[in-house]
Amino acid sequence: MNSHLLFALAPAAAIIAALAFASRLAAGVFDGTRTRASAVWAVALILLAGLETVDLACMFDPERVRAWRAAGLVIEGALGPTWVLFTALFAREYEGERLPRMQRLLVLLSGLLLPWSAFLAFRGAYYAPDFASERLLFLLPGTFHFCIAFVLCCMAALFNIEGTMAGATHFRRWKIKFVLLGGVCVLVALILYYSQGVLYRSLDMRLAWLRSLAVLAGVGMMWFSDARRGPEVRISFSRRMAFKSVALVTAGLYLVVLGFAGEGARVFGDELGRAVLLGVCFAAGIGLLMLFLSDTVRRRVRLFLQLHFYGEKYDYRIQWVQFTDRLISARSQTELHQAALSACCETFGIVGAALFLLDHGSRAYVPVSLVETDTQEGGFDEGSHLAAALRTRRSVVRTADVNDPSPWLKAARFAIPIFREDGLDGFVLLGAAINESEEYDEEDFELMDTMARHISSALLNMRLTEQLARSREMEIMGRVSAFVLHDLKNHVYTLSLMAENARKFIGNPDFQRDLVDSLGSTVGKMKILISQLKGLPDRQTLKRAPVGLLTLARESTRLLHQERLDFGGEDAVAMVDAEEMGKVILNLCLNALEASPDGRPVTVTTGDGPEPFVRVSDQGGGIDPEFIRTALFEPFKSTKAKGMGIGLYQCKQIVAAHGGRIEVRSAVGEGAEFTVWLPGAEA
């Protein structure tokens, strides 16, 4: 009775936990808040629940064990490749958003398990002469080799987990640690369960409850991590992946030990109790793994080795190379700030950090980047106690020694000054230590000051690079202006020809109609070119007034082909500069007309929900999402073959000067929709 209860409770709890967590993941996938990795994750959990259900049915319905296990075999065939794919996708961001060749090969090879398992299930996979009393399934030759392949799939998934953990910085590792540890828990349980089948050429289903307990523990750790530490983070992975692996060595040692255990069981008999032995080994392995993944333990071990075997706390050559590589890999100010803080946290064993830089407008130090630190109100005035202490000492300051009431200092332990020439350009606040008992001395402070000087140089280089880029953009603007002026000269020449012909044919009615049409078209083109050369407005130069947006849209586009424009919506009133906002609407409509093939109409809609808006929609070929994210509103970048990339840049600047915003919705082949949101008349 007790054994049957044990066999039922552990699988039932694992099934409920796996399905409940899978439904949570699936809901996030359907509402667009989770990635494709979460979709594969949900499928993996559903398959685990299915496997537990089938094996539970085998225990309570032994008469139909072969039918149940045939279904279980198919589930195992799908479970292997699903876990390989999940571990290849979870928390990883590959170059080009595509799996590397080696990962694609692993997924492809593991995918062969599914048709293999279906073939074995159809042909017959087990021999069970007395399953009702022994609970043993003897493996036929094909099933024996299938178990070997399934164990190898689980090992491949373990290698992926190790790679993900190795590629994560410490604050990202903290977020995903228990998800990966839960995955290890499940995979190790599967390896232990099926490897004993390989060892004895039979599956002892009396051990299935141990696997169920491991699945329950693994799903519990995943759920805890997802609920308390947030969804997955993204870690950049190169296509070149190293094959040096602790998991590989561990797997090899495990197989060697397994071989010795098999020989011992064959010689001395199975007197050790496989269930107890497997349970103890599993618990010990997971416990050691938790210690290995603990940042506190790793920090203590590293410091112990450095101090007792090398005599110094840091290997400065390695620290400097790693720190330099981090900084030079940053491509923007934001990436540089994050790289600097992450390097400080990892080097000194700190949980979180914040970077403050001087804002010359407000003459205050404001936070520009945070790592595992809660946002607080305000910053530090240029004359604050902390800033004064940093200027006086020109070195690291313990925040406990500074009498400053700022809430930022409550969770901070050290402040590292960043000087540019003789002025305090900013500082780094370091939070609590991972190892609370660790003492910091002059060796730590000297390395902190050295890293701060390097951060200062990197910040200066990044600023100079951005200034140089802006200078080049202005140079290009001058060249573009020359081309636009050339077009204007051509239009002036066209007008001069019209004037010359008018002296001869002005009395001809047909000529008069052609003349009016040509004049309207040419003047419209000249207005567009001139508007591109005008200086962009700012908040002070705008002449705001309450304007009906539908009326403005009709007025600003009167020179365009009206038969292709479909106006709709209410005449919502916005507080705008009619001339400048007319340029925005005209530019958006021109782009939409050019993008819409075969004379398809362009829809212009205005409304007031919850703010006044103008929406221009076309039926063209759409815009690539990557171009929208990185280049759509950047100057001199255009999707059109002859486009100059000025129009949308100008539109965004005008809308921003009004205190509004532009939103874009588009997909390749589905057209584009630009919505301009503006302040209402009450503003």
Side-chain angles (χ1 to χ4, degrees):
M1 179 64 181
N2 291 334
S3 62
H4 279 75
L5 184 62
L6 183 62
F7 285 142
L9 286 179
I15 292 167
I16 294 172
L19 291 178
F21 188 37
S23 64
R24 172 189 173 96
L25 295 173
V29 172
F30 285 121
D31 62 23
T33 58
R34 291 184 179 270
T35 64
R36 56 179 178 171
S38 294
V40 182
W41 191 0
V43 173
L45 292 173
I46 292 171
L47 291 174
L48 273 177
L51 182 60
E52 293 294 330
T53 303
V54 167
D55 284 355
L56 184 61
C58 289
M59 303 304 293
F60 287 93
D61 188 13
E63 298 299 327
R64 294 193 293 173
V65 65
R66 293 184 181 179
W68 286 117
R69 275 312 304 164
L73 193 62
V74 175
I75 293 175
E76 291 158 359
L79 191 63
T82 303
W83 274 94
V84 172
L85 181 59
F86 164 61
T87 54
L89 292 176
F90 179 77
R92 294 189 177 197
E93 187 175 31
Y94 295 103
E95 299 170 9
E97 294 295 328
R98 189 181 180 189
L99 285 176
R101 183 179 303 172
M102 181 57 66
Q103 290 292 348
R104 294 201 302 271
L105 181 61
L106 277 177
V107 173
L108 179 63
L109 291 177
S110 61
L112 297 176
L113 286 182
L114 184 55
W116 188 4
S117 64
F119 171 74
L120 292 175
F122 175 76
R123 193 190 67 175
Y126 303 101
Y127 174 64
D130 195 11
F131 181 79
S133 60
E134 293 182 346
R135 304 299 193 208
L136 286 177
L137 290 172
F138 295 96
L139 307 182
L140 297 178
T143 316
F144 169 75
H145 295 104
F146 174 84
C147 284
I148 295 176
F150 183 78
V151 169
L152 291 176
C153 272
C154 294
M155 289 182 177
L158 280 178
F159 303 155
N160 282 339
I161 288 178
E162 183 188 15
T164 302
M165 186 62 72
T169 53
H170 91 286
F171 66 93
R172 289 189 173 93
R173 187 186 305 121
W174 176 82
K175 283 183 174 293
I176 62 175
K177 177 172 67 175
F178 279 100
V179 173
L180 298 181
L181 190 58
V184 170
C185 196
V186 171
L187 291 169
V188 169
L190 293 173
I191 291 173
L192 287 173
Y193 181 74
Y194 288 97
S195 60
Q196 59 93 18
V198 173
L199 179 63
Y200 298 102
R201 289 184 177 263
S202 63
L203 286 180
D204 187 351
M205 298 200 68
R206 291 171 297 180
L207 303 177
W209 66 274
L210 284 173
R211 185 193 65 195
S212 302
L213 288 177
V215 169
L216 181 60
V219 173
M221 284 187 276
M222 292 177 176
W223 203 333
F224 164 80
S225 180
D226 189 79
R228 296 292 300 275
R229 299 184 175 183
E232 59 179 291
V233 295
R234 309 297 285 168
I235 302 164
S236 295
F237 265 75
S238 171
R239 292 186 182 276
R240 298 184 298 274
M241 298 184 68
F243 287 92
K244 296 183 295 183
S245 172
V246 174
L248 185 62
V249 175
T250 305
L253 291 175
Y254 169 73
L255 293 176
V256 171
V257 172
L258 199 64
F260 280 115
E263 288 300 309
R266 186 174 61 85
V267 174
F268 300 105
D270 191 11
E271 298 177 354
L272 297 177
R274 283 188 287 170
V276 176
L277 181 60
L278 287 174
V280 171
C281 291
F282 177 80
I286 294 298
L288 290 173
L289 187 60
M290 292 181 69
L291 287 177
F292 174 75
L293 293 179
S294 170
D295 287 333
T296 303
V297 173
R298 294 172 64 203
R299 177 75 180 175
R300 288 179 177 177
V301 170
R302 191 180 72 80
L303 292 180
F304 177 83
L305 293 176
Q306 287 290 131
L307 292 174
H308 292 82
F309 290 90
Y310 297 97
E312 294 179 337
K313 190 173 182 179
Y314 301 100
D315 187 330
Y316 295 99
R317 181 182 62 84
I318 295 177
Q319 297 290 350
W320 196 249
V321 169
Q322 292 177 346
F323 182 55
T324 304
D325 288 342
R326 279 180 176 273
L327 296 187
I328 63 177
S329 64
R331 299 179 181 179
S332 64
Q333 288 276 12
T334 302
E335 290 184 8
L336 179 61
H337 298 161
Q338 286 286 304
L341 293 182
S342 300
C344 289
C345 288
E346 291 195 5
T347 302
F348 303 108
I350 299 296
V351 174
L355 174 62
F356 288 76
L357 293 178
L358 179 62
D359 180 15
H360 295 278
S362 61
R363 306 306 302 174
Y365 296 96
V366 297
V368 296
S369 186
L370 305 175
V371 169
E372 292 303 315
T373 300
D374 294 332
T375 303
Q376 305 292 340
E377 293 292 333
F380 293 86
D381 294 333
E382 199 172 17
S384 63
H385 293 289
L386 178 62
L390 292 171
R391 289 194 200 93
T392 302
R393 290 200 54 180
R394 300 186 68 84
S395 182
V396 180
V397 171
R398 294 181 184 270
T399 56
D401 300 334
V402 179
N403 184 20
D404 196 311
S406 173
W408 286 100
L409 297 185
K410 292 181 180 179
R413 187 168 182 178
F414 302 107
I416 310 173
I418 299 175
F419 286 95
R420 185 171 57 168
E421 297 178 353
D422 292 332
L424 181 64
D425 193 37
F427 50 86
V428 175
L429 288 182
L430 298 183
I434 293 175
N435 177 16
E436 297 180 357
S437 62
E438 181 176 350
E439 295 291 334
Y440 292 85
D441 53 22
E442 290 302 320
E443 183 181 2
D444 298 280
F445 299 153
E446 289 177 0
L447 183 57
M448 290 180 187
D449 289 333
T450 304
M451 292 175 68
R453 287 193 289 271
H454 200 26
I455 293 173
S456 176
S457 300
L459 290 173
L460 179 59
N461 288 337
M462 185 64 72
R463 289 167 183 160
L464 293 176
T465 300
E466 292 184 350
Q467 290 176 4
L468 179 60
R470 284 195 292 270
S471 299
R472 288 176 176 173
E473 288 178 359
M474 295 306 298
E475 179 184 356
I476 295 173
M477 177 68 84
R479 296 177 182 176
V480 171
S481 300
F483 286 110
V484 176
L485 289 173
H486 180 268
D487 289 343
L488 282 175
K489 184 180 70 174
N490 291 339
H491 293 316
V492 170
Y493 179 71
T494 302
L495 292 174
S496 67
L497 288 178
M498 293 180 191
E500 183 178 345
N501 291 330
R503 294 189 182 96
K504 301 177 182 178
F505 309 107
I506 192 62
N508 189 329
D510 292 336
F511 177 78
Q512 292 173 1
R513 286 192 294 270
D514 291 341
L515 179 63
V516 172
D517 292 340
S518 300
L519 282 173
S521 175
T522 303
V523 170
K525 294 177 181 178
M526 292 175 68
K527 284 184 176 181
I528 295 171
L529 290 172
I530 292 171
S531 68
Q532 291 176 343
L533 289 175
K534 287 184 63 177
L536 296 175
D538 55 25
R539 293 178 183 270
Q540 287 72 34
T541 60
L542 291 174
K543 300 176 182 178
R544 300 170 185 260
V547 176
L549 293 180
L550 185 59
T551 303
L552 179 61
R554 292 182 182 275
E555 179 66 20
S556 59
T557 59
R558 69 183 186 280
L559 295 177
L560 303 182
H561 296 287
Q562 295 298 306
E563 67 274 10
R564 294 187 59 192
L565 294 177
D566 184 10
F567 294 93
E570 59 180 302
D571 197 13
V573 178
M575 185 65 69
V576 297
D577 186 318
E579 182 180 355
E580 296 296 337
M581 194 51 57
K583 296 177 187 177
V584 174
I585 298 173
L586 176 62
N587 199 294
L588 294 178
C589 289
L590 279 172
N591 289 344
L593 289 171
E594 292 179 5
S596 300
D598 305 324
R600 295 180 183 176
V602 169
T603 303
V604 181
T605 308
T606 60
D608 193 6
E611 301 168 306
F613 69 88
V614 180
R615 180 172 295 123
V616 179
S617 308
D618 64 59
Q619 302 177 43
I623 309 173
D624 182 76
E626 181 65 17
F627 187 86
I628 293 176
R629 189 177 64 85
T630 60
L632 183 61
F633 293 105
E634 294 296 322
F636 318 118
K637 295 180 180 180
S638 175
T639 58
K640 296 182 286 188
K642 297 183 179 180
M644 294 180 293
I646 299 174
L648 285 179
Y649 170 72
Q650 183 187 37
C651 289
K652 184 176 181 180
Q653 300 302 314
I654 293 174
V655 173
H658 281 82
R661 66 188 187 279
I662 298 183
E663 294 178 353
V664 185
R665 293 179 57 189
S666 180
V668 176
E670 298 180 10
E673 179 183 278
F674 287 76
T675 304
V676 178
W677 297 92
L678 297 166
E682 65 276 6

